[in-house]
Amino acid sequence: MAVAQSLAKSVSAPAASPLPFGVIDIGSNSVRLVVFGEPLRMPTGMFNEKVLCGLGRGLGQTGALDSDGAKQALAAIRRFVVLARRMDVRALQIVATAAVRDASNGADFVAQIERDTGEKVRVLSGQEEATYSAYGVLSGIPDACGVMGDLGGGSLELVALDGHKLGDSITLPLGPLRIANLDSYPVVKAYIDEKIGGVAWLKRWKGKSLYAVGGSWRAIARVHMAQMHSPLHIIHQYTLARTEAGDFTRLLAKQSRESLARVEGVPRKRQDVLPLAALVMRRLLKFLEPRDVVFSANGLREGLAYALLDERQRAEDPLLATCRHMAERENRFGDHGAELDRFIAPLFERDTAERKRLRLAASILADTGWRVHPDYRGEQSLGTILHAPFGAITQSERALLALTVFTRYVGTASDPIAAPAWQLLNVEEIDYAQRVGLALRLAQTLSAGVPGILTDCKLRPNGNSLLLELPAQHAALDGEAVQRRVEALGKAFNRAAELRVLKAR
């Protein structure tokens, strides 16, 4: 069914987001508090704590919440409410999903929370849960096109995504805790196929991406990273081709708890549910036949924050918004990334739109490492960018961005310290990072990071040379350090370096 317009009022956005914004998410498997801070477009998790309670354990057989899980969840929620108040959270939402929604004693559990904490609990419908999870994906991957699958402990939400548009959606009772007590592997497999096979609209998204959300599916990504010895353990937009995802989930689905305990990267508290989570993904891959699986670090909680944004705010690039927020906090003299980018742009006229975007991001971040010791600015910047909570950036793009800013400080992209970045790149990408980094190195040396200076200076190819032109009023900026930077940049482009001071008119 299509995502209903009835959600319009609940997701319409005020002019500004009430940050810090807090969410207590009462799921079928875990209870979690996340407190979000700036930047508004891509809020950063200031605090994130979860307790694996297993509220939905046995729900399919008993119809009720697990009693031990409920006690553990209540204790966690009381703690989270106290912490949120001490953090001066301006808006706290407590939301409950499939287990509480479907349990015979769910209403009693909600009433107990409200008595204990004085806070209201919102029990999300299946459609609301699916919509907010889809919003979470869109918050970090604005151009997502395909199907979002959010696997919780009690349910699987599927939503069709086409950029900012949400299409058909459905909630299926396929959470690992719900299907754990089915008789045997063949029975579980047949049950999953029956539920997924009945979703006719999935066929229309064949060949697009599957966006995987939920702790159990993210655990699959973590295990794969560990097995592949990935130099970067960032879940967001970690991508597997369909055949690779199919082979890997087939392997995981057949593992016992004991065997998983010996597998590197498997979270201890996910050992029971990981095989079932892998089986659900594998069967979904069979029916959907996506191009690839893209793991999203964002889900329901980030979707609740995204719902607070107006249309203008949603249209912002989440990568650039985060970069600008970092620059505003860290740059010596404010953000002048756009000025830096305009100055070096004539050297990169053939850049694609994707490269232009990364070049601008690097320009914005080009001054963020200045606070540390000069010998460690490159290394510090590399780690910061590789591990920053960016959205809308692939693993290789993140590596290219980090290597570019590293080169801006160090002067070379081939330093062994930068191995975690260049291991994810090809030779052409490393050369590009070297050139942009050296161009930014020149720009920052010439301007000392002060806005306004570069506006009157020109950097461009000039026949077989690379020319830096300084206007007469900036003649005094010519110096040994600037000349060295021009020569290094010219060498990177296989051109002679030329520095010219224009005469006053």
Side-chain angles (χ1 to χ4, degrees), residues 47-62:
F47 181 84
N48 190 329
E49 182 179 311
K50 71 177 176 182
V51 178
L52 291 172
C53 304
L55 267 178
R57 189 181 298 112
L59 180 62
Q61 289 68 46
T62 67

Side-chain angles (χ1 to χ4, degrees), residues 272-414:
D272 287 332
V273 299
L274 194 58
L276 288 171
L279 180 59
V280 173
M281 178 178 284
R282 176 165 170 73
R283 303 317 296 167
L284 181 57
L285 293 175
K286 174 183 181 294
F287 286 96
L288 181 59
E289 298 184 48
R291 176 181 65 247
D292 51 26
V293 178
V294 181
F295 292 90
S296 171
N298 291 4
L300 183 145
R301 294 173 294 275
E302 290 76 16
L304 288 165
Y306 182 78
L308 296 170
L309 305 179
D310 59 32
E311 291 303 317
R312 177 189 60 79
Q313 292 162 340
R314 292 182 187 182
E316 290 181 37
D317 185 317
L319 170 63
L320 298 181
T322 304
C323 290
R324 291 189 179 105
H325 178 67
M326 293 170 64
E328 288 167 2
R329 290 184 305 162
E330 300 297 334
N331 284 12
R332 290 169 292 178
F333 306 109
D335 173 18
H336 72 135
E339 182 181 330
L340 286 170
D341 187 56
R342 284 193 297 270
F343 176 70
I344 69 173
L347 303 181
F348 304 97
E349 291 183 344
R350 295 184 180 180
D351 276 4
T352 62
E354 291 79 10
R355 284 281 173 89
K356 289 178 180 178
R357 175 173 176 263
L358 289 177
R359 194 185 70 219
L360 175 56
S363 299
I364 295 169
L365 296 175
D367 202 29
T368 54
W370 72 272
R371 291 183 183 276
V372 302
H373 188 282
D375 291 349
Y376 297 97
R377 287 174 183 165
E379 183 177 359
Q380 176 77 13
S381 299
L382 182 84
T384 296
I385 296 170
L386 280 178
H387 307 138
F390 292 134
I393 187 169
T394 66
Q395 302 271 308
S396 60
E397 288 172 338
R398 182 184 288 269
L400 192 150
L401 179 57
L403 189 61
T404 299
V405 180
F406 174 85
T407 303
R408 168 265 185 271
Y409 281 110
V410 176
T412 177
S414 60

Side-chain angles (χ1 to χ4, degrees), residues 23-24 26 31-35 47-53 70-89 92 94 112-113 116-119:
V23 178
I24 296 177
I26 307 170
V31 175
R32 184 189 296 264
L33 168 64
V34 178
V35 177
F47 181 84
N48 190 329
E49 182 179 311
K50 71 177 176 182
V51 178
L52 291 172
C53 304
K71 292 176 184 177
Q72 191 177 6
L74 282 169
I77 293 165
R78 287 192 292 264
R79 165 181 161 78
F80 290 161
V81 169
V82 170
L83 289 176
R85 288 171 179 164
R86 295 301 296 266
M87 293 176 193
D88 293 327
V89 169
L92 177 65
I94 305 179
Q112 184 66 55
I113 296 171
D116 288 357
T117 66
E119 299 284 344

Side-chain angles (χ1 to χ4, degrees), residues 27 38 42 68 77 101 114 118 156 185 222 244 259 365 415:
E38 295 285 353
M42 191 73 178
D68 290 337
I77 293 165
R101 180 172 66 237
E114 293 180 343
L156 170 65
Y185 181 89
R222 288 191 179 92
E244 188 174 12
S259 61
L365 296 175
D415 191 298

Side-chain angles (χ1 to χ4, degrees), residues 236-287:
H236 193 64
Q237 290 187 244
Y238 186 72
T239 302
L240 298 179
R242 174 163 59 93
T243 53
E244 188 174 12
D247 291 342
F248 194 65
T249 52
R250 181 179 66 243
L251 177 65
L252 288 177
K254 294 294 184 69
Q255 300 300 308
S256 66
R257 193 184 199 285
E258 292 72 23
S259 61
L260 285 175
R262 298 190 294 271
V263 175
E264 182 182 0
V266 177
R268 182 177 60 84
K269 292 190 175 182
R270 297 283 182 187
Q271 290 168 3
D272 287 332
V273 299
L274 194 58
L276 288 171
L279 180 59
V280 173
M281 178 178 284
R282 176 165 170 73
R283 303 317 296 167
L284 181 57
L285 293 175
K286 174 183 181 294
F287 286 96

